[in-house]
Amino acid sequence: MIFSGCASLRSVNEYSSASVDGIRKFEEIGYSFQQHCLDRCELESVRNFEIKRQTECDCKDYKKADQITEKIYNSLKSYFTGLSNLSANKLTAYNFRSLETSLVRGEFGKIEINDDQVEAYSNLSGILLKATTDIFRRNKIKQYIGEANDPVQVLLEKLRFIIQENLKSELDFKKEKLFDFYIGMKMGNTLSDYEKGKAVGDYYDQIAGIVTLQDQMDAFARSLKSISEGHQELYNNRNKITVRDLAVQLSGYACDIQEIISEFNKLKD
């Protein structure tokens, strides 16, 4: 199938626009690796009753983990923004400043980047550059999708893993530390019953906030999974699926993504 039918391109546009909205929810996740590092240091200072003029935390690796995550996010946002614009018959442009430096192999805090992910990032950056210099239009969408699918799948899975496994596990660590801290406070002999009751309330308030953050991360990860499955469907059937079948399949993925976005938004309220 050649992507020239209006109905076909409309379904591609609906799916890709929903994908952009889903991916951009990354910016609304209220936690980061660097924040985890700072929280850990602050909790340790409170436990030891230490008051310092400024935080003395070595968070370089955690900051680097955030930077790497941001790079992967920006590359995916740029790709799906381009797909959305192209399917609407618009010229598209990219902010190449965010893609100027390469992804490098190694371990950065909780994040590990391997050769496949380095290659995927490099390949997708090249595709984005070519899409701009070649002035991709409607007749190039099939090529754009075909070349990008492999790196897009690798990077979507990596971003999902970073958020749902690496970053979410840092919050599990924080829950354990809070539990130990408040149990120690409760077992001590320095607080009145009223103060102990208030401490218990404070503990559960903090745990509830952490659980909400983790639920947001899970919702975001599920949206990435739907985006990934939708793009694979689009890639697999780009040469043989009928316009009607394509529209039905992509509309289903677009609806799934929007429903997850709605769930994410409710968690913020």
Side-chain angles (χ1 to χ4, degrees):
M1 185 193 75
I2 299 174
F3 286 95
S4 57
C6 291
S8 176
L9 285 175
R10 188 178 300 116
S11 65
V12 174
N13 182 257
E14 289 173 355
Y15 157 74
S16 55
S17 297
S19 296
V20 173
D21 291 341
I23 290 170
R24 286 180 66 91
K25 287 300 170 183
F26 168 80
E27 299 178 14
E28 298 179 30
I29 295 174
Y31 206 64
S32 67
F33 289 102
Q34 185 174 18
Q35 185 61 54
H36 167 73
C37 178
L38 294 172
D39 286 351
R40 186 183 62 181
C41 290
E42 180 181 337
L43 185 58
E44 195 63 29
S45 293
V46 170
R47 180 193 296 274
N48 297 321
F49 303 104
E50 295 177 342
I51 299 177
K52 302 176 181 179
R53 292 188 179 276
Q54 59 185 10
T55 304
E56 298 175 359
C57 292
D58 182 7
C59 295
K60 292 192 296 294
D61 285 344
Y62 290 90
K63 184 177 181 180
K64 184 66 175 178
D66 286 329
Q67 291 170 343
I68 289 170
T69 306
E70 188 85 16
K71 287 176 69 66
I72 295 172
Y73 159 70
N74 280 325
S75 68
L76 290 167
K77 181 180 68 173
S78 294
Y79 169 74
F80 281 99
T81 299
L83 184 58
S84 176
N85 289 340
L86 294 171
S87 59
N89 202 28
K90 298 177 182 177
L91 288 174
T92 190
Y94 303 99
N95 178 9
F96 288 105
R97 188 168 297 177
S98 64
L99 303 173
E100 286 177 350
T101 58
S102 301
L103 209 60
V104 294
R105 182 176 181 273
E107 294 186 15
F108 310 93
K110 287 283 186 177
I111 294 179
E112 181 177 356
I113 299 296
N114 62 31
D115 290 333
D116 290 343
Q117 291 145 10
V118 170
E119 182 180 6
Y121 182 84
S122 177
N123 289 343
L124 188 58
S125 297
I127 291 165
L128 297 179
L129 175 62
K130 186 169 70 171
T132 297
T133 56
D134 288 354
I135 314 180
F136 270 41
R137 302 290 283 191
R138 286 187 173 210
N139 64 332
K140 292 291 187 76
I141 288 181
K142 186 173 74 170
Q143 180 183 346
Y144 185 71
I145 293 166
E147 293 179 359
N149 186 62
D150 285 348
V152 162
Q153 295 296 340
V154 170
L155 295 177
L156 280 171
E157 170 56 22
K158 186 59 182 178
L159 183 57
R160 183 207 65 78
F161 189 89
I162 288 173
I163 299 302
Q164 194 172 31
E165 303 296 335
N166 298 141
L167 187 57
K168 184 181 173 184
S169 69
E170 299 287 28
L171 287 170
D172 286 333
F173 175 86
K174 183 176 181 179
K175 285 193 290 190
E176 290 300 317
K177 290 297 182 182
L178 284 171
F179 178 81
D180 292 342
F181 174 73
Y182 280 97
I183 283 292
M185 184 185 299
K186 179 177 178 293
M187 298 301 292
N189 297 319
T190 59
L191 300 181
S192 67
D193 288 345
Y194 171 80
E195 289 169 329
K196 288 181 180 180
K198 189 175 185 306
V200 170
D202 291 342
Y203 167 75
Y204 282 112
D205 284 345
Q206 291 192 64
I207 293 299
I210 292 172
V211 170
T212 296
L213 280 173
Q214 291 183 314
D215 288 344
Q216 287 180 346
M217 293 174 188
D218 283 337
F220 178 71
R222 284 191 286 110
S223 73
L224 295 184
K225 188 174 185 295
S226 290
I227 292 167
S228 172
E229 291 172 352
H231 198 276
Q232 189 65 46
E233 187 77 26
L234 182 59
Y235 171 80
N236 288 345
N237 298 286
R238 69 196 187 281
N239 293 315
K240 62 182 181 181
I241 199 167
T242 67
V243 171
R244 180 180 176 83
D245 288 343
L246 177 64
V248 170
Q249 293 284 349
L250 293 183
S251 292
Y253 285 112
C255 288
D256 288 344
I257 295 164
Q258 292 293 357
E259 286 178 1
I260 297 170
I261 289 173
S262 178
E263 179 184 333
F264 182 99
N265 290 340
K266 288 177 182 176
L267 289 168
K268 293 185 62 184
D269 296 337

